Amino acid sequence: MAYTIEKGKKFIPADSGCFQYIGRIDSDDPKRPVMIWPGSYIDVDFTGTYAAVVLKNINFQEDTHFAVIVDGVMKKIFLPTDRQDNLYVAAEGLEDKQHTLRILKTLAAHNYLEFTGIVVDENASVTNPDHKYDMKLEVYGDSVSAGEVTEALYYEGQCDPADHRNKLDNSHFSYALSLARKLNAEVHDTAQGGIALLDGTGYFCSDQLTGMESCWDKLEYTPYADRKQWDFSKWIADAVIIAIGQNDANPEPERIRTPEYRRMWKDHYIKFLRGLMEKYPEAKFVLILTVLGHDRTWDDALEEITQEVNSDRVSHFMFRRNGNATNGHPRATEQEEMAGELYNYFKGTLGF
């Protein structure tokens, strides 16, 4: 154990029943649940003046971090690479009353977070908020859906800052989590930067390009560690957004214009879509690309897929500035723009 608990404080373990877990979280060991996908979070209410989080950072890259949100105020904490349990102060010197704490996984496969519990004042009360959500929303996507480079403020409409290297990523500001907050939805943000649909395409894991077709049904999914299947019976979505196609032009951008490759890509997409439709037999599915610059032919392919599937459960949505807003990752403001348009679509057209 690489930390000590001060006198006058107490430890609340992960399996105490005081925590509400949201996301595809590995709970096989309830004493050490693992946060894997971006936008996963843990909520807890506590009284007193102090709270700290105890977790292990299982890093696959440098410059990894997570965030704590205390009473609505966020603090991002950068993590060491020692792969030991460490204590991170979330807040201190608080007014002695009830507070809210959210522990947020800000990144995708840059790291996993193994949570062991929190430390609070010795006389504090700690309770599970047990928030009641109105629906369950799942998003399958890439770096935009994961919230990468969202914190590059004043870079709206511009390419990404040089050497940002994960530091400006934050899933909290993704359209996926923003939309979930607007809809009061429990969200699974099944998103990974650089990912395309097919293995051997896109940018995820450059030395062994891995596509969503190899990750969508996984709990632990990075090829740089042991992989584990996700049990879909644990959680049934009411609505699913699929935002795949942005990275699929790599490494041969013109292939999608050839009839043979286009047919093959659409067939794989339809197989992926139908697999999800079987897992979630009542859910509605929305196929999108985002405001990040891309070739319109990918939007056309999604429209073709929607028409071929021909189901009242599947629709194709395009943003007002679809593919035209920016050549860099959408910033928090641009993500919020997308979330607002999707919210109107979900409430108005889909009836949520």
Side-chain angles (χ1 to χ4, degrees):
M1 186 170 69
Y3 66 94
T4 57
I5 298 175
E6 298 176 9
K7 185 177 180 180
K9 310 295 183 189
K10 64 180 178 182
F11 179 71
I12 309 298
D15 63 346
S16 63
C18 297
F19 302 99
Q20 185 171 18
Y21 294 94
I22 304 297
R24 276 194 192 183
I25 294 174
D26 186 349
S27 56
D28 283 356
D29 181 355
K31 294 184 180 298
R32 305 185 72 88
V34 184
M35 302 170 74
I36 299 156
W37 292 90
S40 303
Y41 58 87
I42 303 167
D43 282 344
V44 61
D45 293 342
F46 69 98
T47 62
T49 66
Y50 173 94
V53 177
V54 180
L55 56 77
K56 178 196 290 185
N57 180 38
I58 304 170
N59 67 294
F60 304 107
Q61 294 185 20
E62 296 180 358
D63 297 318
T64 56
H65 46 76
F66 76 110
V68 292
I69 305 174
V70 178
D71 298 336
V73 178
M74 179 183 292
K75 178 168 77 170
K76 201 155 102 173
I77 299 172
F78 283 81
L79 292 161
T81 59
D82 58 7
R83 297 198 174 193
Q84 297 186 54
D85 290 350
N86 286 293
L87 182 146
Y88 304 94
V89 175
E92 54 190 339
L94 297 170
E95 185 179 350
D96 190 359
K97 62 177 187 179
Q98 182 160 305
H99 304 280
T100 61
L101 168 62
R102 173 166 294 180
I103 303 158
L104 173 71
K105 189 167 192 296
T106 48
L107 295 166
H110 310 74
N111 65 335
Y112 294 165
L113 300 176
E114 193 171 290
F115 174 69
T116 66
I118 64 171
V119 175
V120 293
D121 292 338
E122 192 170 39
N123 60 352
S125 171
V126 181
T127 54
N128 186 329
D130 194 23
H131 179 77
K132 305 303 181 188
Y133 292 96
D134 294 330
M135 62 176 292
K136 293 178 178 178
L137 170 69
E138 187 159 41
V139 177
Y140 290 87
D142 53 30
S143 57
V144 179
S145 304
E148 293 191 7
V149 209
T150 51
E151 292 183 350
L153 300 181
Y154 306 109
Y155 274 81
E156 289 85 351
Q158 301 180 51
C159 293
D160 293 340
D163 302 321
H164 56 84
R165 190 184 170 86
N166 313 335
K167 297 174 184 176
L168 301 175
D169 299 356
N170 194 332
S171 61
H172 178 82
F173 298 113
S174 68
Y175 74 86
L177 267 68
S178 178
L179 175 62
R181 291 190 291 271
K182 293 176 188 296
L183 291 170
N184 188 33
E186 182 180 346
V187 64
H188 282 197
D189 192 9
T190 313
Q192 171 57 51
I195 206 163
L197 176 64
L198 305 177
D199 292 341
T201 66
Y203 302 91
F204 176 47
C205 300
S206 58
D207 60 340
Q208 47 183 315
L209 292 173
T210 304
M212 184 59 80
E213 63 179 1
S214 292
C215 299
W216 71 280
D217 58 352
K218 301 296 189 298
L219 185 54
E220 279 94 341
Y221 67 98
T222 177
Y224 301 127
D226 291 340
R227 306 175 88 182
K228 186 182 291 188
Q229 290 295 124
W230 168 244
D231 181 357
F232 281 87
S233 69
K234 289 183 175 181
W235 193 87
I236 307 297
D238 299 304
V240 179
I241 295 171
I242 301 177
I244 293 292
Q246 179 72 45
N247 297 307
D248 296 64
N250 190 61
E252 297 181 40
E254 295 304 313
R255 282 192 301 187
I256 192 63
R257 301 186 187 281
T258 65
E260 297 80 10
Y261 188 85
R262 193 181 193 88
R263 182 70 266 163
M264 184 273 291
W265 189 86
K266 291 196 300 181
D267 285 345
H268 278 256
Y269 193 111
I270 290 170
K271 180 181 177 182
F272 168 47
L273 172 59
R274 290 199 185 280
L276 284 170
M277 292 175 75
E278 291 178 6
K279 300 291 187 186
Y280 307 138
E282 304 298 325
K284 294 182 179 179
F285 292 80
V286 182
L287 315 186
I288 71 169
L289 287 173
T290 70
V291 300
L292 178 58
H294 58 263
D295 191 316
R296 175 62 186 258
T297 193
W298 295 98
D299 300 301
D300 295 340
L302 295 188
E303 181 61 29
E304 293 161 18
I305 288 167
T306 304
Q307 304 217 1
E308 290 177 25
V309 172
N310 191 26
S311 169
D312 58 6
R313 295 172 55 203
V314 179
S315 60
H316 175 212
F317 176 81
M318 292 183 65
F319 297 99
R320 181 177 57 86
R321 298 199 293 160
N322 208 80
N324 291 313
T326 178
N327 287 322
H329 285 84
R331 315 308 171 201
T333 51
E334 293 159 332
Q335 294 267 3
E336 186 67 18
E337 175 186 326
M338 288 191 291
E341 291 183 35
L342 281 167
Y343 174 79
N344 291 336
Y345 183 70
F346 269 67
K347 298 297 284 187
T349 302
L350 299 183
F352 284 102

